[in-house]
């Protein structure tokens, strides 16, 4: 009678079967892109997980796409996929575009500006396995998480904005503006279809819709580091959109 593999070997076999697609929207990230891609490749090589990086560049005028093409030559077309667009169309639509080309069972979204360190990806994967969570989101606002490179005023504004939003909406997620997350692919597709926001309120609405659709959510503490190169893309209209988004979602929940 054939021997059954041990549970540990069965789990290992199952892990190998999973593939992770990293969606990396870019706009003027020429200096950051080589570093973040190297760190992603290093993280997945160490964890021995199957992966692909999908770079979605929005017609960056600084030559970001040319840098991405060089990275593709270095790491291979099977690992670095280029899916550029013809203009700056927004973060939400970048994910819509990227997921169409993703072949992974899980989708990881993160920023290309070095604010999200790929070393946390392994923790996301392990947390997801614990109870087969639909979503694992990084948070700056629990023990073990934090922010580096911001002054006290900006830290207080961000922490307060997230606390107020979570309190008013009752979502049970401490970092609603965070954009470092792992999704089951089918879950992300469902949320994108339900999502109406395309700008700064996009990430918050993803959690709102996830709660409405009864998807399970877990958090992992992460350290956010302010960008090393380039300028922050947060604008006053983004802050206004966030505030009006909270008021709108309160009428739905």
């Amino acid at each position: 009678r054939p021997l059954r593999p041990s549970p540990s070997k069965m789990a290992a076999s199952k892990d190998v079967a999973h593939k992770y697609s990293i969606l990396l929207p870019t706009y003027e990230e020429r200096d950051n892109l080589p570093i973040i891609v190297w760190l992603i490749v290093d993280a997945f090589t160490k964890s021995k997980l199957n992966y692909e990086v999908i770079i979605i560049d929005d017609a960056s005028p600084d030559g970001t796409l040319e840098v991405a093409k060089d990275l593709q030559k270095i790491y291979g077309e099977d690992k670095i996929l280029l899916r550029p667009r013809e203009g700056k169309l927004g973060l939400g639509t970048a994910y819509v575009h990227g997921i169409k080309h993703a072949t992974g069972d899980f989708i990881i979204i993160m920023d290309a500006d070095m604010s999200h360190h790929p070393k946390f990806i392994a923790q996301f994967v392990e947390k997801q396995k614990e109870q087969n969570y639909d979503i694992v989101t990084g948070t700056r606002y629990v023990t073990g998480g934090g922010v580096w490179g911001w002054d006290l005023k900006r830290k207080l504004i961000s922490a307060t904005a997230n606390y107020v939003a979570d309190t008013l909406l009752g979502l049970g997620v401490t970092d609603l503006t965070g954009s470092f997350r792992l999704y089951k692919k089918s879950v992300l597709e469902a949320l994108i279809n339900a999502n109406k926001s395309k700008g700064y309120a996009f990430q918050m609405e993803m959690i709102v819709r996830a709660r409405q659709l009864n998807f399970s959510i877990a958090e992992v503490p992460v350290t956010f580091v302010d960008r090393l190169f380039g300028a922050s893309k947060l604008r006053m209209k983004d802050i206004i959109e966030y505030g009006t988004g909270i008021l709108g979602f309160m009428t739905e929940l």
Side-chain angles (χ1 to χ4, degrees):
R1 192 172 74 178
L3 295 174
R4 295 184 62 186
S6 67
S8 60
K9 290 183 178 180
M10 290 175 68
S13 298
K14 188 175 181 180
D15 291 344
V16 171
H18 286 317
K19 184 175 183 181
Y20 297 83
S21 298
I22 301 92
L23 303 188
L24 210 59
T26 58
Y27 184 76
E28 295 190 352
E29 297 293 356
R30 175 186 177 91
D31 295 324
N32 288 311
L33 192 60
I35 306 172
I36 193 67
V37 168
W38 184 87
L39 289 170
I40 290 171
V41 172
D42 183 61
F44 276 96
T45 300
K46 288 177 178 176
S47 60
K48 299 181 180 179
L49 296 169
N50 192 13
Y51 73 97
E52 63 185 4
V53 181
I54 302 175
I55 299 174
I56 308 151
D57 186 63
D58 275 7
S60 296
D62 69 341
T64 296
L65 184 58
E66 285 66 36
V67 171
K69 290 177 181 178
D70 289 338
L71 293 170
Q72 188 180 58
K73 293 176 183 176
I74 294 171
Y75 298 109
E77 294 183 5
D78 61 325
K79 295 300 182 186
I80 308 296
L81 285 68
L82 308 183
R83 298 295 182 264
R85 303 191 295 174
E86 295 182 355
K88 191 176 181 183
L89 303 175
L91 185 63
T93 58
Y95 294 140
V96 173
H97 182 71
I99 200 171
K100 293 177 181 177
H101 304 282
T103 60
D105 310 286
F106 295 91
I107 307 291
I108 295 170
I109 63 171
M110 61 188 299
D111 294 342
D113 62 4
M114 296 293 296
S115 58
H116 300 146
H117 200 298
K119 68 182 181 180
F120 294 108
I121 289 175
Q123 296 177 36
F124 280 51
V125 172
E126 289 304 312
K127 175 60 71 172
Q128 190 281 325
K129 292 176 187 175
E130 287 181 8
Q131 295 190 39
N132 194 28
Y133 288 108
D134 296 311
I135 303 166
V136 177
T137 182
T139 176
R140 296 162 285 183
Y141 303 116
V142 298
T143 302
V147 177
W148 291 90
W150 285 1
D151 58 28
L152 181 59
K153 179 180 177 181
R154 190 171 179 186
K155 288 181 180 179
L156 287 174
I157 290 172
S158 177
T160 301
N162 277 283
Y163 176 78
V164 169
D166 184 39
T167 300
L168 293 176
L169 300 176
L171 299 172
V173 174
T174 60
D175 196 345
L176 293 169
T177 57
S179 54
F180 194 2
R181 294 176 183 166
L182 179 152
Y183 295 88
K184 291 180 180 177
K185 184 180 180 181
S186 59
V187 169
L188 182 57
E189 289 172 332
L191 293 176
I192 285 177
N193 288 334
N195 202 306
K196 300 173 185 176
S197 302
K198 302 300 179 186
Y200 194 68
F202 178 86
Q203 302 294 2
M204 176 170 58
E205 184 173 355
M206 292 290 275
I207 299 299
V208 171
R209 303 302 172 203
R211 288 305 191 200
Q212 289 177 332
L213 295 172
N214 295 316
F215 290 130
S216 56
I217 305 172
E219 292 190 319
V220 167
V222 298
T223 302
F224 176 94
V225 180
D226 198 19
R227 61 166 47 248
L228 298 175
F229 303 106
S232 173
K233 301 177 179 65
L234 180 64
R235 299 158 295 181
M236 179 56 68
K237 75 172 189 177
D238 297 324
I239 298 173
I240 295 172
E241 180 185 341
Y242 179 78
T244 55
I246 294 174
L247 296 176
F249 299 142
M250 285 176 65
T251 64
E252 297 184 33
L253 297 172

